[in-house]
Amino acid sequence: MRAVRRIVTLPGVGGVATDYNSDAELVQALRDGDESAFAWLLDRYDAPLRRTALMYVPTRAAADEAVQETWLGVIKGIDRFEGRSSLKTWIFRILMNIARTKGVRETRAIPFASARGAMSEGDEPAFDPDRFRPASDPQYPFHWASFPTPWEHEPAERLDAAETLAVVRAALERLPAAQREVVTLRDLEGWSSTE
């Protein structure tokens, strides 16, 4: 049985789009570069994608970016769509992966506009200002005034270092495997980012 296509006029676009009754037909139209097929997808799924993105990211701007990246992912990846799920499920899965990643990144970042307030909160600085050169230093403003001494030179510090390393290793064990491997290689083994 062949799918039936119905022609509808898109409001505000002035063009004609097809109402697709099967994913296979729509996917083929997208693979063929049919702009009306993409316009149909946008018309149908853009608003629900934005609502879904807002469940993972804190702002509308971040949700808009996630949806834009999703549409780019659809365009770039439509040739790899295997049809193991519905096209709608595939599109929403792309969005959720992007939005989750963006949501985690957004929670770690302080917006530039609020950075001054975040830095001025609290009664004391994070580091003793005497440990750094003043801003007026002609050669090295804000550099270390004297470098920290390595822990391994004094026995008490060596004991503290061993205890600290034990706590760090325990914390590493709680990380997901991929993150644990990266931190171990980079920070404990001394590998470069390139390696």
Side-chain angles (χ1 to χ4, degrees), residues 6-23:
R6 177 171 56 97
I7 305 296
V8 294
T9 304
L10 292 174
V13 176
V16 174
T18 305
D19 190 12
Y20 297 90
N21 292 322
S22 75
D23 276 356

Side-chain angles (χ1 to χ4, degrees), residues 43 49 72 161:
D43 185 50
L49 285 172
L72 287 172

Side-chain angles (χ1 to χ4, degrees), residues 58-187:
T59 64
R60 287 197 180 279
D64 290 344
E65 287 178 21
V67 171
Q68 288 175 356
E69 289 177 32
T70 299
W71 288 125
L72 287 172
V74 169
I75 291 168
K76 291 176 181 176
I78 194 65
D79 289 333
R80 294 185 308 273
F81 175 70
E82 297 174 354
R84 289 186 282 169
S85 64
S86 71
L87 182 62
K88 177 182 177 181
T89 301
W90 182 69
I91 292 169
F92 275 82
R93 177 57 55 197
I94 292 171
L95 170 81
M96 288 169 40
N97 289 336
I98 291 169
R100 280 185 191 136
T101 302
K102 191 172 283 302
V104 168
R105 225 179 285 136
E106 292 279 325
T107 58
R108 291 182 186 163
I110 299 173
F112 184 74
S114 61
R116 173 174 241 153
M119 292 174 70
S120 65
E121 290 176 4
D123 298 328
E124 56 188 63
F127 294 100
D128 182 8
D130 294 335
R131 294 173 66 183
F132 301 96
R133 295 177 182 261
S136 60
D137 189 299
Q139 197 169 12
Y140 301 108
F142 300 113
H143 285 236
W144 287 100
S146 62
F147 289 101
T149 58
W151 288 358
E152 60 267 358
H153 292 301
E154 296 184 30
E157 276 75 21
R158 290 181 76 183
L159 181 59
D160 288 344
E163 290 175 1
T164 302
L165 285 175
V167 170
V168 169
R169 288 188 201 289
L172 282 173
E173 290 301 317
R174 291 190 300 268
L175 289 174
Q179 288 178 348
R180 182 175 52 243
E181 185 175 350
V182 169
V183 171
T184 301
L185 292 175
R186 172 109 167 98
D187 296 326

